[in-house]
Amino acid sequence: MNRRTLLKSTALGAVASLSFFGMAQAENPVLKIGFVGVTSGPAAAWGISNQRSMETRADWLNELGGYEIDGTKYDIEIVAFDDQKDPKRAIAGMEKMAQEGIHYVVGPNVDDGAAAVRPVAEQNGIMYFPYAFPKELYTAPASNAVLGMVANYQSGPAIYKHLMENNGVKKVAFVAANESDPLSQRDGGVEAAKALGLEVVSDSVTYQVDTTDFTPVLLPVIQTQPDLLVLSGVSPANAPQLIRSARELGYEGLISTETAQDATVLQEGAGELANGFISVGGASTPELASDQMREFVDRYTQKFGEYNDESNTKVYALEYILETIKANPAAMTDVEAFKTTMDTFEAPNPYMVGDAKLSYVGTTSFGQKRQVSVPLVVNVFKEGAFETLFVAQVD
């Protein structure tokens, strides 16, 4: 928690992203890290977990006296902007970050927003960490975006293969919202399923995001009798409605998604009908979690009154930014130095037991290291909470 009550900003050069607390109690300069993402509407849970994770970790570091880079301790300030899942607002948010001299931004949370802010980021020397999957954001000539999680085209095949081998899944159907993100994820899922030898029995049914009655949407899909129903790119608000409708139509097969979900929302919206629902979870399990991860969860819960499992993944972006700058202090205001450091960067992973490391990956998917290395944790929902189904790694 920030114990200082007086804040006064001063400039550190034309590109500075630092300000200083008022002289009465000022000791540490402030390093600003931005967040541009969705914190309102049906997909709010995705961005809220981002912002809350960043704020929880920043408070913690500041309480410990600040974060040390090149012999100087900095207080971390999170500058947040709700883009409302609107690409135009995402651009406005990134422009705000540029105006404040911020060089490192977490978000946006969806494909459209992440693509829309790319020109602003590149023109203003901003590295950003989206939770969005288009490969063109992370492959050359693009170089300013770093994927903050495991992509659907990485998790989807792992999930399908696991269910083929352990549950005898042979036929799969896909349903997606009529928006670019879910449709893109559906297409990737269909391609992955076919490559694994699965029979795709339905892949063209879509719905509007404001749909309230999913029965007519799902009825033709259920009639194809899939072993697995994939809710491609489903938002946390729509997931329980779709699950409930599928079960009430008599569907008894497996249901999954490659997007992260909120256990509280699932319980409130679908209850026991959501039991068995498979989704991508946070990058930590009870077996993997270090004491520091458990403390993070406790601090988050105390600060906000609840916890979102997805924050097990979202805690990492701020850590990667700070640790990479620490490894090369020139990166404080020079993102080219940051990029150079990424290729060989390695640091202890504070959130996992053992000798786990923070490092950048993505060479297999993108041809360059533009993805944070976090475990692929796949969850299954049971009686109001997530349980770990399996854990994998991404190169």
Side-chain angles (χ1 to χ4, degrees):
M1 303 181 185
N2 199 321
R3 301 183 297 274
R4 297 159 179 79
T5 58
L6 180 62
L7 179 66
K8 179 180 180 182
S9 297
T10 58
L12 281 182
V15 296
S17 63
L18 308 177
S19 60
F20 289 85
F21 286 108
M23 294 187 63
Q25 296 181 341
E27 294 180 0
N28 293 347
V30 175
L31 173 58
K32 293 182 180 181
I33 305 295
F35 166 69
V36 175
V38 54
T39 57
S40 59
W46 292 337
I48 288 173
S49 65
N50 262 131
Q51 184 174 339
R52 288 180 173 181
S53 296
M54 295 174 73
E55 291 174 349
T56 299
R57 183 57 173 153
D59 285 352
W60 187 1
L61 291 169
N62 295 343
E63 181 182 315
L64 293 173
Y67 186 84
E68 185 171 339
I69 299 173
D70 198 25
T72 299
K73 287 192 174 182
Y74 296 85
D75 285 314
I76 309 303
E77 178 183 344
I78 306 303
V79 180
F81 185 95
D82 177 15
D83 66 19
Q84 299 176 9
K85 203 169 176 280
D86 180 340
K88 292 181 180 178
R89 281 190 58 83
I91 292 171
M94 194 65 80
E95 289 175 340
K96 169 184 168 65
M97 301 302 156
Q99 290 165 5
E100 294 202 23
I102 294 171
H103 291 282
Y104 299 95
V105 176
V106 176
N109 301 98
V110 296
D111 294 2
D112 284 352
V117 303
R118 177 182 168 184
V120 179
E122 292 179 348
Q123 291 165 14
N124 291 277
I126 295 174
M127 293 293 295
Y128 66 113
F129 287 64
Y131 294 78
F133 299 152
K135 289 186 177 181
E136 59 267 23
L137 294 176
Y138 314 108
T139 55
S143 63
N144 284 47
V146 181
L147 178 57
M149 63 185 296
V150 177
N152 69 301
Y153 39 80
Q154 297 166 333
S155 61
I159 293 172
Y160 308 155
K161 184 177 180 181
H162 178 89
L163 296 180
M164 290 172 69
E165 294 175 348
N166 293 276
N167 299 82
V169 167
K170 296 180 180 179
K171 298 192 297 181
V172 59
F174 293 82
V175 177
N178 191 23
E179 292 187 319
S180 60
D181 290 22
L183 293 176
S184 174
Q185 293 187 40
R186 179 201 63 189
D187 293 345
V190 170
E191 181 180 352
K194 289 180 177 179
L196 288 169
L198 285 167
E199 179 185 356
V200 177
V201 294
S202 179
D203 63 359
S204 61
V205 174
T206 62
Y207 58 89
Q208 300 304 312
V209 291
D210 58 354
T211 298
T212 56
D213 181 7
F214 285 94
T215 299
V217 174
L218 289 173
L219 184 57
V221 182
I222 301 303
Q223 289 175 338
T224 65
Q225 299 182 317
D227 302 317
L228 172 65
L229 173 61
V230 179
L231 308 180
S232 301
V234 68
S235 72
N238 287 146
Q241 297 171 299
L242 283 156
I243 293 167
R244 176 175 288 279
S245 294
R247 295 307 185 200
E248 290 176 347
L249 284 170
Y251 178 67
E252 298 181 353
L254 296 165
I255 306 177
S256 75
T257 184
E258 283 82 55
T259 50
Q261 298 296 310
D262 187 315
T264 301
V265 174
L266 286 171
Q267 182 63 25
E268 292 175 350
E272 64 180 11
L273 294 179
N275 286 343
F277 178 52
I278 297 164
S279 63
V280 174
S284 184
T285 67
E287 297 78 19
L288 296 175
S290 65
D291 289 342
Q292 189 159 323
M293 173 57 88
R294 285 188 281 271
E295 183 172 352
F296 167 76
V297 174
D298 289 343
R299 286 174 173 268
Y300 184 117
T301 305
Q302 290 172 17
K303 184 175 178 65
F304 298 107
E306 60 182 4
Y307 187 73
N308 186 331
D309 177 75
E310 191 180 350
S311 291
N312 292 355
T313 296
K314 299 295 178 60
V315 69
Y316 276 98
L318 179 60
E319 207 75 30
Y320 268 90
I321 292 168
L322 296 177
E323 284 289 329
T324 307
I325 295 174
K326 182 178 181 178
N328 184 358
M332 182 80 75
T333 55
D334 180 3
V335 299
E336 295 305 318
F338 190 97
K339 295 175 190 178
T340 300
T341 306
M342 290 172 64
D343 287 335
T344 56
F345 170 80
E346 187 175 274
N349 185 333
Y351 302 115
M352 291 179 61
V353 295
D355 60 354
K357 303 293 185 182
L358 300 178
S359 64
Y360 292 94
V361 295
T363 302
T364 298
S365 295
F366 313 123
Q368 58 182 347
K369 292 186 176 181
R370 286 299 181 272
Q371 181 176 9
V372 301
S373 177
V374 296
L376 166 58
V377 176
V378 177
N379 287 336
V380 59
F381 184 83
K382 290 184 180 179
E383 304 301 335
F386 291 120
E387 295 182 7
T388 303
L389 185 63
F390 68 90
V391 180
Q393 289 293 141
V394 174
D395 178 16

